[in-house]
């Protein structure tokens, strides 16, 4: 088979690339391939008869996420506003009941988001002013040249930097009240604080897709009927042929080779690492550049109950409210809603070390069926029992769950290593060989890790670069449709 444009990876980034390439070059023969049984990648959801799909991956979209909102509108994927309510914290063995989060956590303590904001203000007040004036470029410039103790911000791991600036107690409290504990660990301080500033921008409201984020990604992948789509195709090798590339896929029916003029890889870091690239396809720095990206594990576990026992807790949720409790236990975050129908709650939403705790329980079970990076349905009884124990520590007596579903992501999102100049590495990885139409995009290169919007922004920038390459004379040897235009 020969195609003009081949996109590998059917998550939201790859689906967007296919959609945009087909729109920009209607004559081009575009195909998209994914190793999984369906498209959507990290937007996978479970339909468990709850009022809405249980999102194993992405779920929230901010009013500031202009590209996602624009696409959702064009594709008629409707959304409903969700109001986050931090209804409690469970810290330091306060087992009676979650107490309400008011102004703060005690003397000099900050919540996670507040500590990150205070850190930015302490280190680079001009960057905070630039962000407030919506001048992201200036803020980045300032932060790139910010130094602490004679060491550039991008050379600092965020955890040690926070400990340098704040007391251990302040850092501990902040980490235990933040959705992303990895933001307090080994990642590069420049990228972590930049993402925190973007996430924490004031005046945002939040939405969820009525049919789930996975439905949005799949609708995007299916929006152009001309695009050929293939699931169960895992790319294992990429080589050259006379006028383009040859891609080798592992499929249930055996090895399959596909020729292509232009290739876009919209894949996570680990998947890129596992591909065998032919000689001279990627430059010498490629694998070193990839090693600058860290995988952050993430884990979600939903539990179903016979009744909505959280109605008895000391908080009241209105329609559209999503109540969150943060804890230093490995469950990390619990989410409650008062929807009608079956009674599901998100009992565990953990990342980093906490996610590894839940994974270790799966491994202890010898659960041979665990597939890294792929969401799963069946939940072992002892995993449910462990989550139930966590809930009882936090809330007292909790009825036994009926069942559960979990999603275990070896790379829920990515982060940058200290010492990586992410802006330069990103620039090299987008097109690893300037002589070849091979492009890379997706969340792994997003400026703000862990968000669909930023993954799509990165894909959009990559497509501009691909278009510029297509306008170049060399493109004609690879892509006949360029000649036809
Ligand atoms: C638990 C969790 C919660 C999140 N919450 C939010 C949120 O609330 N809001 C938000 O905006 N974002 C959220 N995100 C982030 C969001 O899910 C990602 O930014 C986005 O989905 C990334 O899309 P992508 O296309 O770049 O990558 P992916 O979705 O990872 O797509 C990559 C695709 O490549 C395929 N693939 C891998 N290897 C191969 C191979 N060798 N050959 C062929 N195909 C391959 C995979 O099957 C996958 O479909 C969350 C993520 C997680 C894990």
């Amino acid at each position: 088979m020969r195609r003009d444009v081949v996109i590998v990876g059917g998550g939201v980034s790859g689906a967007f690339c296919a959609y945009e390439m087909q729109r920009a070059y209607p004559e081009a023969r575009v195909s998209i391939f994914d190793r999984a049984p369906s498209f959507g990648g990290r937007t996978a959801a479970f339909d468990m008869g709850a009022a809405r799909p249980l999102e194993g991956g992405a779920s929230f979209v901010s009013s500031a996420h202009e590209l996602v909102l624009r696409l959702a509108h064009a594709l008629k994927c409707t959304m409903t506003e969700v109001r986050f309510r931090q209804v409690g914290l469970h810290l330091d063995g306060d087992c009676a009941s979650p107490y309400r989060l008011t102004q703060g956590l005690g003397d000099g303590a900050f919540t996670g988001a507040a500590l990150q904001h205070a850190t930015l203000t302490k280190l680079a007040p001009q960057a905070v002013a630039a962000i407030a004036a919506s001048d992201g470029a200036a803020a980045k410039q300032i932060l790139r040249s910010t130094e602490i103790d004679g060491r550039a911000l991008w050379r600092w791991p965020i955890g040690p930097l926070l400990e340098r600036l704040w007391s251990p107690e302040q850092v501990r409290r902040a980490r235990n009240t933040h959705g992303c504990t990895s933001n307090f660990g080994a990642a590069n301080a420049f990228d972590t604080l930049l993402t925190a500033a973007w996430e924490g921008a004031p005046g945002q409201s939040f939405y969820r897709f009525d049919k789930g984020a996975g439905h949005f990604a799949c609708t995007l992948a299916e929006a152009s009927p001309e695009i050929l789509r293939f699931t169960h195709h895992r790319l294992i090798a990429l080589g050259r042929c006379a006028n383009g590339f040859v891609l080798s896929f592992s499929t249930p029916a055996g090895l399959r080779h596909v020729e292509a003029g232009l290739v876009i890889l919209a894949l996570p870091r680990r998947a890129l690492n596992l591909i065998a690239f032919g000689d001279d396809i990627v430059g010498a720095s490629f694998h070193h550049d990839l090693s600058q990206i860290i995988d952050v594990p993430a884990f979600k576990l939903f539990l179903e109950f016979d009744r909505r026992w959280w109605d008895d807790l000391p908080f009241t949720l209105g329609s559209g409210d999503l109540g969150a409790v943060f804890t230093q236990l490995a469950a990390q975050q619990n989410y409650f809603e008062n929807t009608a129908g079956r009674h599901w709650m998100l009992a565990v939403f953990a990342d980093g070390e906490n996610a590894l705790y839940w994974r270790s329980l799966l491994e202890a079970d010898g659960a041979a069926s665990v597939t890294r990076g792929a969401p799963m349905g069946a939940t072992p009884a002892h995993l449910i029992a462990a989550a139930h124990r966590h809930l009882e520590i936090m809330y007292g007596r909790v009825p036994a769950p009926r069942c559960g579903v979990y999603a275990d992501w070896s790379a829920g999102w990515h982060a940058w290593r200290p010492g990586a100049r992410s802006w330069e590495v990103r620039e090299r990885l987008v097109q690893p060989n300037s002589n070849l139409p091979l492009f890379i995009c997706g969340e792994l290169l997003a400026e703000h890790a862990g968000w669909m919007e930023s993954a799509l922004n990165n894909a959009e920038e990559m497509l501009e670069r691909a278009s510029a390459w297509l306008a170049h004379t060399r493109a004609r040897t690879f892509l006949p449709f360029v000649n036809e235009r």
Side-chain angles (χ1 to χ4, degrees):
M1 179 166 74
R2 166 127 194 137
R3 305 294 291 166
D4 298 316
V5 176
V6 162
I7 292 140
V8 187
V12 76
S13 310
F16 174 71
C17 292
Y19 177 75
E20 288 294 313
M21 283 304 273
Q22 192 71 72
R23 268 166 34 125
Y25 303 99
E27 317 87 341
R29 294 166 303 165
V30 178
S31 287
I32 180 164
F33 294 81
D34 200 288
R35 70 168 189 185
S38 57
F39 291 112
R42 279 173 275 164
T43 61
F46 309 100
D47 185 359
M48 300 298 292
R52 39 169 296 106
L54 307 178
E55 307 267 22
S59 41
F60 306 114
V61 175
S62 151
S63 50
H65 297 179
E66 289 174 12
L67 184 48
V68 175
L69 293 176
R70 180 155 56 75
L71 288 166
H73 181 74
L75 298 169
K76 299 189 172 47
C77 293
T78 55
M79 295 186 194
T80 302
E81 185 172 359
V82 55
R83 286 185 301 274
F84 285 107
R85 294 195 44 216
Q86 288 204 337
V87 289
L89 296 170
H90 174 89
L91 302 172
D92 297 332
D94 173 3
C95 302
S97 63
Y99 60 87
R100 277 172 192 277
L101 177 64
T102 52
Q103 286 300 325
L105 298 160
D107 284 348
F110 293 99
T111 61
L115 186 86
Q116 286 177 336
H117 183 73
T119 303
L120 267 176
T121 309
K122 204 174 206 176
L123 294 179
Q126 314 90 313
V128 176
I131 291 165
S134 303
D135 190 349
K140 275 184 255 177
Q141 208 49 51
I142 295 165
L143 289 175
R144 276 176 202 165
S145 52
T146 298
E147 291 194 354
I148 302 101
D149 295 345
R151 194 171 165 197
L153 185 59
W154 50 271
R155 288 194 185 279
W156 279 89
I158 183 71
L161 175 69
L162 294 176
E163 279 157 18
R164 158 81 184 69
L165 298 171
W166 308 99
S167 75
E169 185 56 17
Q170 283 172 314
V171 176
R172 199 174 66 85
R173 289 268 153 171
R175 187 182 54 243
N176 291 335
T177 54
H178 197 272
C180 213
T181 57
S182 48
N183 280 7
F184 294 79
N188 173 326
F190 165 78
D191 294 281
T192 307
L193 290 173
L194 192 68
T195 300
W198 183 77
E199 285 173 353
Q204 298 179 77
S205 32
F206 287 87
Y207 301 87
R208 287 184 296 189
F209 286 101
D210 294 335
K211 293 186 180 170
H215 175 259
F216 164 65
C218 291
T219 308
L220 194 53
E222 289 164 11
S224 308
E226 306 81 15
I227 296 173
L228 293 189
R229 294 180 293 273
F230 301 88
T231 54
H232 296 102
H233 278 63
R234 185 164 69 87
L235 181 66
I236 54 170
L238 182 69
R240 293 284 308 277
C241 61
N243 52 356
F245 298 97
V246 56
L247 300 99
S248 304
F249 292 96
S250 164
T251 80
L255 205 58
R256 178 172 197 184
H257 301 289
V258 177
E259 284 186 18
L262 182 146
V263 172
I264 296 173
L265 304 178
L267 298 171
R269 182 206 63 83
R270 188 172 146 73
L272 287 170
N273 247 349
L274 293 175
I275 295 167
F277 289 95
D279 289 346
D280 301 331
I281 290 194
V282 290
S285 66
F286 180 73
H287 284 101
H288 179 262
D289 283 344
L290 277 185
S291 75
Q292 301 304 304
I293 302 171
I294 304 171
D295 296 345
V296 179
F299 196 96
K300 279 187 180 179
L301 171 64
F302 295 86
L303 295 179
E304 186 186 19
F305 294 88
D306 285 329
R307 66 178 185 87
R308 233 167 40 204
W309 56 270
W310 47 94
D311 284 351
D312 305 334
L313 295 176
F315 53 77
T316 313
L317 296 173
S319 156
D321 284 351
L322 188 65
V325 174
F326 288 73
T327 172
Q328 74 200 60
L329 299 176
Q332 202 172 309
Q333 301 173 68
N334 308 147
Y335 283 92
F336 302 96
E337 288 183 80
N338 69 357
T339 47
R342 290 170 64 175
H343 309 307
W344 285 91
M345 69 169 290
L346 178 54
V348 175
F349 184 2
D351 77 331
E353 293 292 316
N354 288 334
L356 295 180
Y357 166 82
W358 297 99
R359 174 176 297 174
S360 74
L361 292 180
L362 293 173
E363 284 163 355
D365 188 40
S369 57
V370 176
T371 316
R372 291 289 176 276
M376 301 272 303
T379 303
H382 74 280
L383 189 69
I384 297 180
H388 184 224
R389 267 197 307 279
H390 275 67
L391 293 176
E392 292 214 305
I393 293 172
M394 295 172 73
Y395 305 105
R397 237 183 127 60
V398 169
R402 284 164 60 94
C403 63
V405 287
Y406 71 90
D408 172 22
W409 303 97
S410 50
W413 43 86
H414 296 88
W416 291 92
R417 283 191 197 286
R421 291 167 175 266
S422 55
W423 57 99
E424 290 176 4
V425 180
R426 193 180 285 123
E427 195 61 20
R428 285 195 294 272
L429 282 175
V430 164
Q431 189 180 11
N433 181 338
S434 56
N435 292 317
L436 294 177
L438 168 68
F439 298 93
I440 294 177
C441 70
E443 187 274 332
L444 88 158
L445 298 183
E447 194 160 68
H448 309 298
W451 291 96
M452 290 184 284
E453 174 73 7
S454 197
L456 291 177
N457 290 151
N458 159 260
E460 203 171 34
E461 283 169 24
M462 182 281 296
L463 288 170
E464 276 173 30
R465 191 136 149 196
S467 295
W469 203 91
L470 286 174
H472 199 278
T473 45
R474 257 178 308 176
R476 294 193 192 120
T477 54
F478 287 85
L479 295 153
F481 75 88
V482 177
N483 287 332
E484 288 157 18
R485 283 167 72 80

